[in-house]
Amino acid sequence: MASVYIVSEIGKIKKSNENLIFENKDGETKRIMPDQTDLLVLNNHVSVTGESLTLLARNSIPVYFLQNGSIPNITLDFGNSKNGFLRQKQYLISSDNHKALNIAKSIVKGKIKNQLVFMNRLNRADTRNDLILPVTKFKVLIKKIDKCKTKDQLRGIEGTASRLYFDLFDCHIIPDWAVFGKRSRQPPQTNVNAVMSYLYSLLAVRVQNALEAYGLDTMCSNLHEMTYGKTSLAYDLMEEFRTPIADTLCCSLFNHGVLKPDDFEERDGGVYMTVEGCQKVIQAFESKMRNEINSDKEEQRFSYLELIFNQANKYKKFIMNEEESYVPFAMR
């Protein structure tokens, strides 16, 4: 089964016999075979006919809509879980301040530890003294997590760690034309931010899809505030994968010359990738999803996509009292 991405500013998906056909504004077409598709990601202004929706529903293919590379809040899911008991347990835990805070602490600690692993890798390649200090500060922040009494205190530590992390991240983007500056979104103000935001969007799709596959309610979260229409649980669980998947890939795409200056354009008050740039990022992302690595505590090798599904399953087992705690994914 394959994940299908439609990268186009304007186009339409329509039904043709038992297949789908995407046609862009120039009349170019692409065939989508439902029996070989596990999810569909639509970029920007792509419309879908009613007959196409019926075919997607019959094949239980979820559809995720990305607007300018933002994390998807518009989703068509045709296979909603019937496990009401699981969802009830989710809401009972999220409404228990003590239990929800402990889960949130675990997620933030896992995220910061992964950032620390990546920073140590970068530092080994660059021995400048001014890059060593943030690593020491990170270790102090990790120790403070267990003492947090509220989610606001926890988010404060996460914010401080992110500022230190992105300062160091910026130092290791090699090409002069590649600009990060500081983290900016909606709209991204630099080309590095544009790539990072787009990768986070693709990652969010994968995490949300895994959670839905296990029947979890993606609106019910513990770290991020629950907001109407926001898949907050996907935001929670993607935190542990931001660095090992998206951030490392973002560095690689620039430093290894995959992306070029003409893969970007300025519009609508921000910097965005062109269609060609998006296609390069998607190809690299899907390749990384298939990349197998050794997990932290198991000798067996898993692809990143398998690891995302494993984490969703671990979270479900924790909710159903089959595990004592939720342990985030850890980089080696």
Side-chain angles (χ1 to χ4, degrees):
M1 301 289 279
S3 302
V4 177
Y5 296 84
I6 300 297
V7 182
S8 178
E9 293 182 0
I10 299 174
K12 176 184 287 187
I13 293 179
K14 52 190 177 183
K15 181 176 177 292
S16 175
N17 296 322
E18 290 305 306
N19 292 320
L20 298 173
I21 301 293
F22 168 73
E23 183 176 351
N24 66 15
K25 62 181 180 180
D26 298 321
E28 298 171 339
T29 60
K30 176 178 181 178
R31 184 176 297 274
I32 303 169
M33 293 178 283
D35 61 342
Q36 298 180 22
T37 303
D38 60 356
L39 61 85
L40 180 61
V41 182
L42 305 182
N43 206 40
N44 290 337
H45 306 292
V46 175
S47 61
V48 186
T49 66
E51 287 184 333
S52 299
L53 291 174
T54 300
L55 185 59
L56 288 164
R58 194 159 65 239
N59 288 273
S60 298
I61 301 172
V63 184
Y64 301 88
F65 294 85
L66 302 184
Q67 295 294 320
N68 287 326
S70 62
I71 291 178
N73 279 327
I74 304 175
T75 307
L76 296 178
D77 179 14
F78 303 107
N80 288 329
S81 170
K82 297 178 176 63
N83 192 344
F85 298 107
L86 172 61
R87 296 189 176 208
Q88 182 184 46
K89 286 181 176 291
Q90 277 189 260
Y91 280 92
L92 286 173
I93 289 175
S94 67
S95 61
D96 184 316
N97 291 333
H98 178 70
K99 291 181 178 179
L101 180 59
N102 283 339
I103 297 173
K105 286 180 179 180
S106 179
I107 290 171
V108 172
K109 187 179 292 186
K111 174 184 179 178
I112 295 178
K113 285 183 176 180
N114 286 342
Q115 290 175 331
L116 180 57
V117 170
F118 186 41
M119 284 200 301
N120 278 326
R121 289 181 186 176
L122 296 177
N123 275 356
R124 284 195 293 270
D126 191 333
T127 57
R128 289 176 292 176
N129 291 331
D130 60 328
L131 299 182
I132 297 175
L133 181 59
V135 174
T136 304
K137 291 182 178 179
F138 253 57
K139 293 178 180 179
V140 173
L141 290 172
I142 291 172
K143 291 180 180 179
K144 289 182 177 180
I145 290 175
D146 291 331
K147 299 179 181 179
C148 289
K149 302 297 183 183
T150 67
K151 289 184 184 179
D152 284 340
Q153 291 177 346
L154 183 62
R155 293 187 189 109
I157 290 175
E158 181 189 18
T160 300
S162 291
R163 286 190 292 273
L164 293 171
Y165 171 73
F166 285 126
D167 283 346
L168 186 58
F169 181 89
D170 191 22
C171 295
H172 291 276
I173 301 294
I174 296 173
D176 293 337
W177 60 267
V179 179
F180 180 70
K182 63 179 181 179
R183 185 73 182 107
S184 61
R185 56 184 74 82
Q186 297 180 350
Q189 296 299 307
T190 67
N191 46 25
V192 176
N193 272 290
V195 174
M196 186 173 288
S197 291
Y198 198 73
L199 285 169
Y200 287 164
S201 300
L202 299 178
L203 176 59
V205 166
R206 287 302 191 178
V207 174
Q208 183 176 333
N209 181 243
L211 293 170
E212 290 167 347
Y214 282 102
L216 291 154
D217 189 335
T218 58
M219 302 289 177
C220 182
S221 59
N222 298 289
L223 172 60
H224 293 86
E225 293 291 343
M226 285 189 281
T227 305
Y228 185 85
K230 180 179 179 179
T231 54
S232 302
L233 184 59
Y235 284 70
D236 278 8
L237 266 65
M238 71 180 281
E239 294 294 351
E240 61 207 72
F241 289 105
R242 286 181 187 265
T243 296
I245 295 177
D247 297 348
T248 56
L249 183 55
C250 183
C251 269
S252 177
L253 287 168
F254 284 101
N255 293 347
H256 292 164
V258 177
L259 291 171
K260 306 294 183 183
D262 57 6
D263 288 320
F264 301 89
E265 60 185 3
E266 294 185 16
R267 55 179 170 81
D268 303 326
V271 178
Y272 297 95
M273 286 181 291
T274 62
V275 170
E276 292 76 16
C278 288
Q279 290 170 338
K280 289 181 180 180
V281 173
I282 289 170
Q283 184 177 3
F285 177 80
E286 283 298 303
S287 177
K288 185 149 192 172
M289 284 294 96
R290 297 188 296 270
N291 185 37
E292 292 187 348
I293 63 168
N294 292 320
S295 63
D296 185 45
K297 295 182 179 180
E298 301 178 52
E299 294 184 359
Q300 184 178 355
R301 293 173 65 84
F302 293 98
S303 70
Y304 275 113
L305 183 57
E306 289 173 324
L307 288 168
I308 289 173
F309 274 82
N310 287 349
Q311 289 302 123
N313 189 31
K314 287 180 181 180
Y315 185 78
K316 177 183 178 180
K317 287 182 176 179
F318 166 69
I319 295 296
M320 298 301 290
N321 296 319
E322 297 175 23
E323 298 283 351
E324 292 185 2
S325 60
Y326 174 71
V327 180
F329 168 73
M331 289 179 69
R332 279 188 162 185

